[in-house]
Amino acid sequence: MNEIVRDAQAAVTGTSLDPQDWTEFRALAHRMLDETIDGIANVRARPVWQPIPDEVRAALRAEVPRNATDLAEVYRQFSEHVAPYATGNVHPGFMGWVHGGGTAVGMLAEMLAAGLNANLGGRDHMPIEVERQIVDWMRRLFAFPQGASGIFVTGTSMANLMAVLVARTDALGALARQHGIGNDGALLTAYASKAAHGCISRAMDIAGFGTDALRKINVDADHRIDVAALRAQIATDREVGFKPFLVAASAGTVDIGAIDDLRAIADLCREEGIWFHVDGAFGALAILSPELTPLLDGIELADSIALDFHKWGQVPYDAGFLLVRDGERHRQAFAQPAAYLQREARGLAAGAVWPCDLGPDLSRGFRALKTWFTLKTFGTDRLGQVITRSCALAKYLEARVLAEPRLELLAPVNLNIVCFRYRADNAVNREIVADIQESGIATPSGTTLDGRFAIRAAIVNHRTGETDIDALLAAVLEFGARRTDGGLIEIEAPPLAAQ
Ligand SMILES: *Cc1c(COP(=O)(O)O)cnc(C)c1O
């Protein structure tokens, strides 16, 4: 656009929210971009996380901002009060929860998507083609047939809920969408292991079945669902008149990264005529790692898979995804006739199945773009290597724990999650976790396994290396010694950077 056109446009839109002075805006925008890039590039110089001082919380509280504030001033407040007190999952020392590290590439794509401000609920525009491209890539990676469908959602919690709804409509027929789940619906039962994520239980609640309709099956020593017990529970339920309709298998449990025997479950579901869903929130993307793919054997037989690109896929939050084998069944669970959503043969209202036919959202952002940029820029092989490396680092941590008499391993290391403890009671270990988090050195989390409090390290971030594992262990030993002997700690914390 030349200068004259630009000036003329600025002049006619006095009420618009565009900047009065684009030159000044541009300079500030470049500074924001530079400082954000610096923040990512120099992330190691910062503490992983730091407690929020009371003054900082107080500084944010304010009346409804009726009057304008300079963009530069709002940005200053962000830089001082928000950015330094984020979760810390960009940092290589973040190991507490299964959070992705994000990338600078993903950050740029998110900015580009915001510039387009596209609404991906429907209609005929190229951003939807980008989403469809990713659906096709996922279909190929998981060896799903043509006709499979997929959709971006906030996260796996939502994707699991939608899978429950698709399975519900499949079991009860489309009329249940009009009449409600009724007496038949009250008999439907679903199955997951005791180690399954809590959002599956919540999905059963939200879908109207109640959490009791989810049977929680015992796990073996490796936290994999006991398939014989699953089979027996299904038989018992049938005997007394229930209608088993869904098994939600775990591909990567959140506690220790266990992957259920997906092939055995697939066979059982096929025999029983039950919907086979896989919660692969983080684990499903292990399909990108040739070393790990065998662990997912049988996932290609699933009726649906929920996964997150924002975990092991390193796409910035949020980017959850649901893939459904039979796209028509997926559509039948959500599509709705509405005059204002009428499809035309040509023009902007053209296009076949719209994303709003595949889930509860109408307006939707362009999550697909940051995923497309991430997959293309790095290539899926490289992303797979990151995943393989996370598991190698977990093995490294496991070996170091086993070699250290003051530490004890509490669960087998299946993938990228290590649960261990300092040889002391639960209370001491709980303190150690909080001590380390507050030190800014690393952020492990805590979980309870068989009544024992475990220090949990989930290695997801592509920036994490052996030195970060070493720093975590050194911190556990130092704080452990301090909490048990009253000895002094001598750990070099990263400088609390001013930014
Ligand atoms: C993270 C996770 C979820 C929930 O996913 P969100 O993206 O946080 O909604 C579900 N299941 C498992 C196994 C997870 O790891």
Side-chain angles (χ1 to χ4, degrees), residues 41 52 64 120 179 188 285 383 389 428 445:
I52 306 168
V64 174
L120 276 79
H179 301 312
L188 295 187
L285 282 184
L383 294 169
R389 168 117 172 102
V428 165
S445 64

Side-chain angles (χ1 to χ4, degrees), residues 155-157 197 199 252 254 279 281-282 308 310-311:
T156 289
S157 302
H197 195 274
C199 67
V254 74
D279 174 358
F282 69 95
D308 280 326
H310 56 223
K311 290 178 173 171

Side-chain angles (χ1 to χ4, degrees), residues 73 96 126 145 150 167 183-184 192 200 229 279 293 321 325 406 417 441 459:
E73 168 56 16
M126 214 47 198
N183 293 338
D184 279 353
I200 294 174
D279 174 358
T293 297
F321 191 79
R325 168 176 301 278
R406 285 169 289 175
I417 299 177
I441 297 165
I459 299 153

Side-chain angles (χ1 to χ4, degrees), residues 98 101 149 292 298 330 384 476 483:
V98 182
S149 64
L292 300 173
H330 184 182
V476 169
R483 288 280 167 192

